[in-house]
Amino acid sequence: MKNKQLLHPKEAAEALGISIRTLIRWDQAGKLRTLRTAGNQRRVPMEEIFRLRRQGDPQAPRCAIYARVSSVRQEQDGHLARQTERLKEAALARGYEIVSVITERASSLNERRRGMKNLLALVGEQAVAVVLIEYPDRLVRFGCSYFSQAFQWQHVRLEVLDQPQIQEPTEELMRDMLTIVTVFAGRLYGQRARGLRKRVQTALQACEQGSVDHDGTSQTDDQAAP
């Protein structure tokens, strides 16, 4: 189920763990507030789902929270802590049971993120019903909708607190192009940085070896001197 404000009856029924017929009965009895579209189609506000869950549902959906920042500076400035706290508050407000809080400092370009692997393991095992993130690029820079679809195959919902603003086609294209440039530039400079680090390490090892050889030669000469 995508993160949206109005749900189709089938989506709402799945979110509440009831049948569509029960949902219609709740609507007719006034237990559930619904809206009607211009075509007289029934829609359920997301707030109603949260309200019913807060009324003491004994089987509250199990939720995993995933928060990420890219740099040490962001973590030190408290961005990771604030992001995590906001997600916790949102999960509790929506009536979820928080069973896992995954936080990490890593680049979105890093395909070996430990936190991401832990999250995917939870989804694969169907250990949670909801994954809650603050913004799409906190999870992945590209293809968040694909993750949402894949999670649905495991009967897990991916919910995003802050959906990207709707942009004009030109603005969206420019944003995607900048993202692509950022991704490939990061990989390129990352490779260069790794190469530089390797050369520096080699040079340091050579200097250390030269220092040992020099010290050994000096000690031998000193012992041989009259």
Side-chain angles (χ1 to χ4, degrees), residues 69-82:
V69 293
S70 302
S71 66
V72 175
R73 179 65 178 272
Q74 289 176 328
E75 184 176 12
Q76 291 175 342
D77 288 344
H79 293 297
L80 185 59
R82 287 192 294 272

Side-chain angles (χ1 to χ4, degrees), residues 133-215:
I133 59 177
E134 185 180 44
Y135 199 74
D137 68 2
R138 296 301 88 193
L139 187 67
V140 287
R141 189 175 289 273
F142 271 123
C144 190
S145 60
Y146 292 121
F147 273 80
S148 180
Q149 182 64 50
F151 286 6
Q152 286 186 40
W153 294 337
Q154 298 297 325
H155 307 288
V156 177
R157 298 194 308 275
L158 175 62
E159 295 187 2
V160 182
L161 291 188
D162 295 331
Q163 287 286 354
Q165 295 181 353
I166 299 177
Q167 298 175 319
E168 294 293 331
T170 303
E171 294 177 345
E172 186 176 0
L173 178 60
M174 290 298 297
R175 181 176 180 274
D176 290 344
M177 290 180 63
L178 286 173
T179 302
I180 292 173
V181 170
T182 301
V183 169
F184 283 96
R187 290 180 177 177
L188 175 63
Y189 290 125
Q191 292 174 352
R192 291 181 176 177
R194 286 192 294 271
L196 178 61
R197 286 195 297 270
K198 185 176 181 180
R199 289 194 293 272
V200 170
Q201 290 173 355
T202 301
L204 288 174
Q205 291 173 356
C207 290
E208 291 176 356
Q209 185 62 41
S211 176
V212 170
D213 293 343
H214 177 73
D215 292 342

